[in-house]
Amino acid sequence: MPPPAVAAADASPATHTDSTSTSTSTSTSTSSQSSSNALDAVNARPQPPPETKESLWLRRSVILSFWAVVVLLGLPVWWRTTAIYRADLPLQGMTDWADGKSCKPVFPLRIAVEAPLSPQEAHHLLRTTQHALDDLNEFSAHHLRLMLADPPLPANASQQVVSDGIGSTRSDEDIALSIRLIPVETGTTPRSTLQPYSPTLDVYYMPNQIPSASSTGSPLATYIAQELHKIFAEEQALLASLLFSTSGVHTAKIKSLSAETAAELKRQSTRALKYAPTYHLTFSLFTPTFAPSGWDIESALQQYLTPLLESFSAISNFTVDTQVQLYATFSPSIHQPEYDEDLRSWSLRKEDLSGFINAAEWPLSPSIGKGPTVNFVLFVPDQNQSPLLVKENGGNSWLIPQWGGVFILNPPRDSDTPRILGKEALTPAFHTFSNQLLSLLGLPQTPASLPLRLSTLKRVRAASLIFSASSTLGALARLYQALPSIPVPDTVAKSVDLTTSHLQQACDHLREGRFQGALEHARTAEAAAEKAFFERSMVGQVYFPDEHKVAVYMPLLGPVAVPLVMAALKELKSIISGLRK
Amino acid sequence: MALDQQQALLFGVAAAVRLLLFTAFPSLPSLLAGRVEVSTPVTSFKRLQEGLFLYTHNVSPYDGGVFHQAPLLLPLFSLLPNPSYHPFATNVVFTVVDLLSAYALAQVAESGQAAVTRLFTSSRKDLRWSSAAIAAGFLFNPFTVATCVARSTSALTNLCILTAMAKASQGASITFILAISFASYLALHPILLFPPLALLCYDTRTARTKHAPNPWMFAILHTLGLAVASGALLVVSAVLTGSWDFLAATYGVRLLLPDLTPNVGLWWYFFTEMFDSFREFFLGVFWLHVASYMPGLTIRLYRQPLFVATTLTGIFAIFTPYPSIADASLYLSLVPLFRHLFPVMRYTFLASSSILYTSFLGPAFYHLWIYAGSGNANFFYAITLVWSLGLSVIVGDSLYAALRDELDVDRPELRGKEVKRI
């Protein structure tokens, strides 16, 4: 290869090649040049003159100016706008929570004993009962601790004062159950009754059943221990199955959980709605005709529902709305009611109950506001299709798991359907609705005392919220590690900190037996954990692998970059070759 | 005086045409003001009226999220009677704005800076149109007329840009700085015109006063002047609206493109399709793309600063976020100043036919998309692509012609020959 010509004067037949090192080349077809060049033009293509200093300088500064924009402005813009901000998360702590290492939930229940005994006798009774109780207990996390009621009753207090109970029971909500020992002379002893509307167990005994200071066991102590164990059996089973299903830590310690109990618990938990701080209750009156067109719902709610909801207020809040729908027809998908001669009633088949709610036409909105909606449907059948009952068992109400309940209110025979349903007419319906609401909220079936069941529910909810928030934290930690390309804003880190601090407090409260506080902290922790996990700005780039970035950058920036890079390379080459010479 | 008579006649006819259109077709202004080709979110007269209503009712004009124009327009237009009932005064204002723009353009043409500058004299310098013809090209350009009738505030921006060019080509530094800072204040991107126009101003000052002013002093003084004038405008605006919120509502909207109303530019479609996480990055890329032409062109064609400024207005008409036909009309009216380049341009037919083609098909396709529902966004976007292509062909071709013209001067022996860039 001949060296590239650098000046037109070098042009000769020997270097008659295409030279591409200079800026312009001219065609040789016309000859407006001077006559001295004409001969050359015939023989050889004249080489273009060298670039002037000025044009060289101009070209380089133009290229430099484009590069300056790219480097000085473009690169910072690229860096600023595509950097992925990832806040630091306490990953180890989050994983510890999810693995149950940070908190082993324990449920120390305090049981106050009021005994009209001398302090020594009372202490001894307590000790022996505690021994018997500990022997019975198989589930170490759930622990019943007996203590004397504070202030201890004087031994000579009259029975009247004790059974009255006002002056003696400590109004401490951390006391799970109070036992009142009541000496009696008659009847089988020892015997006990559980107060249905207060957390109190009355135990009747004969004074000679008090264990003497020397004996190590007594029938009264054993009896009390067994009663307590029975009362808290379902709660223990619930908590044990919860621990078993979520963490698996305590598996070895649960032996008492039989298959039937487990199945029953599972059935109950599938019925119940997921826990929410606020539930929305909708009461609907449906009738296929024009009557009844009204109901005395306000006072019925006031009388039957408000006390119940108030007792739940420590666990959840409720909002209530009601509606009346006339001319509401059955869903066409089910069999229409048939007349049953034997029962002298119209009957619905059991398998049609699930399709009874005419979801297409009845205005039962799935959710109003934040919380889940619980629907209660009161259906008043047509006069000529009345009474309407379930064929198989003659019942008139049923529960729809995680949705609500239905009650068929058959109008009285031999009279027209009343235009307005009074409070008395609604009574059976509201008793049923109350029971349905209790099972929908996951309230355990036993024991018979409502406050005890509520406090059980409180503990179960607190534990399940702690587990749920912990596992959300663990999932977030795994997400953080698995997807290094997602941005993590500071709000997520803040929510995580909030979650862990509230979880810790909830756990501490549990350990100290303050279950109301534990539930409140667990609720906050759960809300914060959900907020952190479902942060909207994190998910934008989840399904955006790095290869896609090529497709984003190349179509526009590629064509721009090629001439820039080529021009820069060419200039660099010519500068280097100029330096070598 | 024949020329003056000619100009007076020209201006009279142009004003008469505009006022006739306003009065003969009373619904035409609001029809045109609603067209996306004419009114963009940052220049629309309807949005100005909305801001004006809020302003006169002592509410911050930017609270509604509709008005994105400079705050100083508000006291100006609040002096006029309400255009919904008494549109005549507003119509006269916009007509006068057009006439003033044409006058400034005529001054630019008379200065002769297009073909003969201090450092460069075109070999075809005698090939030029009279200033009246160029002003007529501006005044009777259908795009200009449509902008005027739609009462788009980009007419004001165009006036400021043309005045800045006229004053720069006369070497009047102070008025030039005032005009360019007004233009930048109204529309932000004209600030990129400052370096080439300052160069033009320097050239004319040097040619006029014999002893050249110190270029560094000149640059520093003019930059300072621009900063002071723009700063004063912004401070007055802040005092007027009571807060600095207007910055986000005016320049923030131009920079960040929150309003994706279709227009004749290329941005809106691109950013409707954009992944959210890359939006900011590509906003930066697009803006840098617009800005990156300025230094390169100014350096390469430093001997023809007026041509650089003209080419930049063409680039603005293509690549800014909210272009309209008003920006195109400015560029297309400035191109005839360079009549001497026309013989060297190669694709005039292609460019002019694609501009014509899109001028007719654009509204039709927009109608198909929005009103008839038988088309989709791609119809209109394809037309805006062709429109931008047509304008880019003119820009590129004129650039080529300008370079060729410089080459003809540097190397007279190559004149008329085919050249090849290597």
Side-chain angles (χ1 to χ4, degrees):
Chain A
M1 273 292 289
V6 290
D10 290 340
S12 69
T15 58
H16 177 64
T17 49
D18 290 325
S19 171
T20 56
S21 64
T22 46
S23 65
T24 57
S25 76
T26 60
S27 73
T28 56
S29 55
T30 58
S31 59
S32 66
Q33 298 172 4
S34 64
S35 60
S36 65
N37 286 345
L39 197 64
D40 283 347
V42 175
N43 291 333
R45 179 178 299 180
Q47 290 302 313
E51 257 186 312
T52 59
K53 263 262 161 29
E54 193 200 351
S55 74
L56 191 72
W57 175 82
L58 261 186
R59 199 175 68 228
R60 285 185 182 163
S61 46
V62 168
I63 292 169
L64 197 69
S65 79
F66 278 107
W67 272 103
V69 170
V70 168
V71 173
L72 296 182
L73 296 173
L75 284 184
V77 164
W78 174 74
W79 185 253
R80 269 294 300 278
T81 54
T82 59
I84 295 172
Y85 180 75
R86 283 166 75 80
D88 281 331
L89 296 187
L91 293 179
Q92 190 54 48
M94 290 158 75
T95 319
D96 285 351
W97 274 104
D99 296 343
K101 286 180 196 157
S102 296
C103 173
K104 296 212 190 323
V106 286
F107 305 93
L109 267 61
R110 263 173 265 177
I111 293 165
V113 179
E114 294 167 14
L117 299 172
S118 68
Q120 291 80 19
E121 282 177 321
H123 274 295
H124 185 64
L125 176 65
L126 230 60
R127 207 161 45 240
T128 46
T129 316
Q130 187 74 56
H131 271 299
L133 205 55
D134 291 348
D135 289 344
L136 281 171
N137 194 7
E138 291 167 333
F139 181 43
S140 64
H142 190 272
H143 179 70
L144 300 176
R145 196 148 56 81
L146 296 176
M147 52 190 270
L148 274 181
D150 185 39
L153 278 174
N156 58 355
S158 72
Q159 189 185 328
Q160 189 54 45
V161 172
V162 173
S163 61
D164 188 33
I166 295 164
S168 59
T169 39
R170 203 173 68 165
S171 64
D172 186 349
E173 60 176 21
D174 295 336
I175 300 290
L177 177 69
S178 304
I179 298 176
R180 286 193 303 200
L181 289 174
I182 300 166
V184 288
E185 303 298 333
T186 54
T188 50
T189 53
R191 65 173 195 273
S192 65
T193 44
L194 192 59
Q195 302 271 345
Y197 296 112
S198 82
T200 310
L201 181 71
D202 290 336
V203 177
Y204 300 95
Y205 68 102
M206 286 203 191
N208 61 1
Q209 287 169 326
I210 298 294
S212 60
S214 58
S215 65
T216 53
S218 87
L220 180 62
T222 319
Y223 176 78
I224 294 176
Q226 276 170 348
E227 281 298 306
L228 285 176
H229 187 66
K230 225 188 295 172
I231 287 173
F232 288 105
E234 183 170 355
E235 176 176 338
Q236 286 198 352
L238 265 174
L239 289 170
S241 73
L242 193 66
L243 292 182
F244 173 73
S245 62
T246 49
S247 63
V249 175
H250 301 270
T251 42
K253 293 164 190 163
I254 304 159
K255 300 181 203 82
S256 64
L257 211 59
S258 64
E260 301 93 76
T261 330
E264 171 63 21
L265 289 177
K266 195 161 173 52
R267 206 172 67 82
Q268 279 183 27
S269 72
T270 48
R271 262 184 193 188
L273 287 148
K274 194 175 172 300
Y275 174 76
T278 304
Y279 292 101
H280 189 80
L281 308 183
T282 301
F283 291 89
S284 315
L285 170 65
F286 286 96
T287 168
T289 60
F290 58 89
S293 59
W295 51 344
D296 199 4
I297 183 71
E298 291 257 353
S299 60
L301 285 175
Q302 191 67 37
Q303 179 166 356
Y304 300 114
L305 204 70
T306 310
L308 185 66
L309 297 185
E310 271 167 7
S311 66
F312 264 97
S313 61
I315 301 174
S316 293
N317 292 321
F318 297 89
T319 59
V320 179
D321 74 8
T322 66
Q323 61 173 343
V324 177
Q325 288 292 323
L326 308 180
Y327 301 105
T329 52
F330 288 122
S331 167
S333 61
I334 63 166
H335 287 90
Q336 296 304 311
E338 293 157 359
Y339 190 68
D340 192 328
E341 289 293 343
D342 300 340
L343 294 170
R344 290 165 33 85
S345 69
W346 293 77
S347 63
L348 280 166
R349 299 194 309 172
K350 202 173 178 180
E351 59 263 34
D352 282 337
L353 295 185
S354 60
F356 181 82
I357 301 296
N358 189 351
E361 289 174 28
W362 294 4
L364 294 165
S365 58
S367 182
I368 301 169
K370 264 169 105 182
T373 303
V374 189
N375 295 281
F376 292 103
V377 172
L378 181 68
F379 187 81
V380 181
D382 197 350
Q383 188 69 37
N384 53 27
Q385 273 193 352
S386 169
L388 183 65
L389 297 172
V390 179
K391 186 172 192 169
E392 278 76 4
N393 57 9
N396 63 348
S397 70
W398 63 93
L399 180 142
I400 301 172
Q402 302 190 5
W403 189 83
V406 180
F407 186 89
I408 296 177
L409 181 66
N410 289 306
R413 288 172 201 236
D414 319 320
S415 70
D416 281 346
T417 309
R419 294 295 168 89
I420 307 281
L421 287 176
K423 198 163 78 177
E424 288 70 31
L426 293 173
T427 305
F430 270 84
H431 282 309
T432 312
F433 285 158
S434 301
N435 281 330
Q436 287 172 340
L437 180 63
L438 291 184
S439 10
L440 284 167
L441 293 176
L443 199 69
Q445 304 291 314
T446 58
S449 166
L450 183 64
L452 273 185
R453 286 159 72 190
L454 279 173
S455 66
T456 298
L457 183 63
K458 205 183 285 178
R459 286 186 280 278
V460 172
R461 289 305 194 198
S464 72
L465 281 176
I466 289 176
F467 287 132
S468 154
S470 303
S471 77
T472 308
L473 278 188
L476 181 60
R478 285 196 300 279
L479 182 78
Y480 186 90
Q481 283 161 328
L483 298 170
S485 64
I486 62 167
V488 180
D490 273 332
T491 51
V492 171
K494 269 190 207 128
S495 295
V496 167
D497 288 344
L498 194 70
T499 309
T500 43
S501 82
H502 277 282
L503 275 178
Q504 192 58 54
Q505 291 184 53
C507 201
D508 293 345
H509 276 84
L510 270 193
R511 197 174 303 128
E512 291 156 19
R514 294 199 299 270
F515 302 111
Q516 180 63 35
L519 178 68
E520 274 156 19
H521 283 296
R523 201 178 340 188
T524 319
E526 163 78 0
E530 295 283 310
K531 188 164 159 255
F533 189 78
F534 292 106
E535 167 68 36
R536 216 173 65 84
S537 61
M538 286 204 306
V539 291
Q541 278 183 289
V542 171
Y543 304 107
F544 201 82
D546 278 350
E547 303 87 72
H548 285 195
K549 286 187 182 152
V550 176
V552 170
Y553 288 136
M554 283 316 283
L556 188 67
L557 301 188
V560 174
V562 167
L564 268 181
V565 172
M566 291 312 288
L569 284 181
K570 210 165 118 186
E571 284 310 310
L572 281 178
K573 222 156 91 184
S574 76
I575 288 172
I576 288 168
S577 67
L579 284 177
R580 281 213 186 120
K581 267 178 201 165
Chain B
M1 295 317 284
L3 191 71
D4 279 355
Q5 267 180 12
Q6 200 184 351
Q7 269 191 349
L9 184 67
L10 171 69
F11 284 11
V13 171
V17 165
R18 281 163 173 72
L19 294 177
L20 186 73
L21 280 174
F22 276 125
T23 44
F25 307 100
S27 62
L28 190 63
S30 82
L31 172 79
L32 281 176
R35 298 296 306 186
V36 290
E37 299 90 340
V38 187
S39 294
T40 63
V42 290
T43 60
S44 159
F45 186 68
K46 288 182 174 174
R47 288 171 186 257
L48 176 67
Q49 278 177 292
E50 169 73 17
L52 213 53
F53 180 85
L54 293 176
Y55 174 74
T56 49
H57 287 75
N58 278 329
V59 182
S60 167
Y62 301 102
D63 273 357
V66 173
F67 179 61
H68 305 302
Q69 298 169 44
L72 282 184
L73 293 175
L74 294 170
L76 175 69
F77 280 92
S78 64
L79 291 177
L80 301 174
N82 187 341
S84 315
Y85 309 110
H86 309 287
F88 186 74
T90 317
N91 299 345
V92 169
V93 165
F94 275 95
T95 308
V96 169
V97 163
D98 261 16
L99 296 184
L100 286 175
S101 306
Y103 180 66
L105 186 63
Q107 281 181 324
V108 177
E110 271 162 26
S111 76
Q113 288 288 330
V116 182
T117 65
R118 181 172 66 97
L119 300 169
F120 174 77
T121 304
S122 168
S123 54
R124 302 178 185 82
K125 65 176 191 298
D126 297 329
L127 196 58
R128 54 179 294 203
W129 278 324
S130 73
S131 59
I134 288 167
F138 175 80
L139 284 173
F140 296 108
N141 185 335
F143 296 150
T144 319
V145 176
T147 309
C148 175
V149 174
R151 298 177 292 190
S152 157
T153 49
S154 45
L156 289 167
T157 313
N158 286 354
L159 169 64
C160 292
I161 292 175
L162 284 170
T163 311
M165 284 181 175
K167 294 305 167 189
S169 63
Q170 292 167 348
S173 290
I174 293 174
T175 38
F176 153 64
I177 287 173
L178 279 180
I180 195 77
S181 46
F182 259 107
S184 320
Y185 169 75
L186 289 175
L188 186 65
H189 60 253
I191 201 159
L192 292 173
L193 292 172
F194 176 71
L197 289 182
L199 203 57
L200 175 67
C201 190
Y202 177 77
D203 281 357
T204 45
R205 283 273 292 279
T206 314
R208 209 171 49 189
T209 55
K210 303 299 175 212
H211 62 279
N214 180 353
W216 292 111
M217 269 318 280
F218 184 87
I220 290 168
L221 277 180
H222 280 66
T223 314
L224 268 181
L226 179 72
V228 169
S230 305
L233 284 173
L234 294 181
V235 168
V236 169
S237 305
V239 170
L240 195 72
T241 55
S243 72
W244 290 95
D245 293 345
F246 75 94
L247 288 179
T250 53
Y251 307 121
V253 166
R254 285 178 186 270
L255 287 172
L256 302 177
L257 201 79
D259 192 327
L260 290 175
T261 311
N263 56 45
V264 294
L266 302 170
W267 290 45
W268 62 273
Y269 189 86
F270 196 83
F271 282 95
T272 52
E273 304 289 322
M274 177 60 65
F275 291 123
D276 271 352
S277 51
F278 285 102
R279 189 184 152 84
E280 288 166 352
F281 171 67
F282 277 100
L283 279 172
V285 168
F286 273 45
W287 266 113
L288 283 184
H289 175 242
V290 178
S292 67
Y293 287 105
M294 189 274 288
L297 285 175
T298 313
I299 294 171
R300 180 66 188 83
L301 291 167
Y302 71 101
R303 289 182 291 187
Q304 305 186 56
L306 185 61
F307 181 76
V308 174
T310 305
T311 305
L312 283 179
T313 60
I315 285 166
F316 295 158
I318 306 168
F319 294 121
T320 47
Y322 294 110
S324 68
I325 60 165
D327 298 290
S329 79
L330 174 68
Y331 177 61
L332 294 178
S333 314
L334 284 168
V335 168
L337 291 173
F338 303 94
R339 169 74 181 89
H340 58 281
L341 297 180
F342 285 11
V344 206
M345 286 173 72
R346 295 170 297 179
Y347 305 111
T348 41
F349 175 74
L350 174 71
S352 50
S353 55
S354 64
I355 294 287
L356 276 178
Y357 163 83
T358 48
S359 308
F360 289 105
L361 272 190
F365 277 17
Y366 188 76
H367 182 86
L368 281 186
W369 169 30
I370 296 294
Y371 301 104
S374 53
N376 57 32
N378 297 331
F379 279 52
F380 185 65
Y381 187 60
I383 287 300
T384 64
L385 276 179
V386 179
W387 164 263
S388 304
L389 175 78
L391 287 177
S392 322
V393 166
I394 300 179
V395 169
D397 203 17
S398 65
L399 259 178
Y400 161 82
L403 291 174
R404 178 66 212 251
D405 198 36
E406 280 196 357
L407 184 71
D408 284 353
V409 174
D410 292 348
R411 308 271 303 277
E413 75 276 8
L414 296 180
R415 193 177 163 154
K417 289 187 187 162
E418 207 176 304
V419 295
K420 187 171 84 182
R421 194 190 177 287
I422 301 173

